Amino acid sequence: MKKVCCLLLVLCMMLPVFALAEEAVKIGQVDYAAHGTKCFAVLTVAVQGDKIVAAYIDEFQFMDAATAQGVPNSTEGFGESFPEGKVLASKRVNAELYSANMAKAGSTVALDVNYAAIEEFVTGKTIAELEAAIEGKTAEEMVDAVSGCTLVDTLGYLTGLLEAAKSVQ
């Protein structure tokens, strides 16, 4: 009887440990047209339970081969069908170059800084909280909602990150 009581006592003491065990982190990723029709975004989130615990944004478009760093194999066989003088390039890898072009159009915030503000905005939110934050909002309202971000397509990035998060549910 003592052995049974001790075993039950040990099992009862272990229950909180099992209850506190963290859920697995799942990675969700989508290719998404978050910004216009001349590029595509790869939007990635890490989700634990229903909470976004990390996010990452990158976009790809054709850029000048003389000034931009292309994705691997852009100058090899993979790039043979690219427009002449162009490489497929990551905007994040080429953030300085891309941000300089944005500055010519009046932007005062670098592209990678904008991405970081959006990533920070979604991190820590549940999927339902992110849905509620963007539901029924205009693109202009979302630019104002994300502190430190000035991208006119902020809503597009947020919607894509939401889709990435939902992809693991």
Side-chain angles (χ1 to χ4, degrees):
M1 183 68 172
K2 275 186 173 179
K3 288 182 182 180
V4 172
C5 285
C6 285
L7 181 60
L8 283 173
L9 183 59
V10 168
L11 288 173
C12 287
M13 289 174 30
M14 291 178 67
L15 283 176
V17 172
F18 293 121
L20 294 176
E22 293 197 18
E23 295 182 56
V25 175
K26 298 177 182 176
I27 304 296
Q29 187 173 63
V30 295
D31 295 336
Y32 201 78
H35 172 66
T37 60
K38 296 185 178 185
C39 64
F40 69 95
V42 178
L43 303 163
T44 308
V45 295
V47 178
Q48 189 169 32
D50 67 341
K51 185 177 280 192
I52 299 167
V53 295
Y56 186 79
I57 300 169
D58 200 354
E59 281 186 290
F60 298 85
Q61 76 175 43
F62 288 111
M63 294 184 186
D64 182 24
T67 55
Q69 178 182 338
V71 297
N73 294 321
S74 282
T75 58
E76 305 301 324
F78 176 60
E80 288 176 359
S81 63
F82 293 172
E84 189 173 331
K86 300 289 184 181
V87 290
L88 181 61
S90 157
K91 288 184 181 181
R92 188 176 284 271
V93 169
N94 293 281
E96 188 174 325
L97 173 69
Y98 196 84
S99 295
N101 289 332
M102 290 172 50
K104 290 177 189 172
S107 178
T108 58
V109 180
L111 180 69
D112 51 344
V113 174
N114 277 293
Y115 284 169
I118 296 168
E119 293 162 353
E120 184 178 321
F121 180 81
V122 302
T123 300
K125 285 185 173 40
T126 64
I127 292 171
E129 288 170 338
L130 181 54
E131 277 181 316
I134 66 175
E135 185 177 345
K137 300 288 190 321
T138 66
E140 186 175 281
E141 288 171 321
M142 288 318 302
V143 172
D144 293 338
V146 179
S147 179
C149 183
T150 61
L151 297 174
V152 295
D153 289 318
T154 299
L155 179 59
Y157 298 107
L158 292 170
T159 303
L161 288 167
L162 176 61
E163 292 303 313
K166 287 180 171 182
S167 76
V168 298
Q169 296 296 301

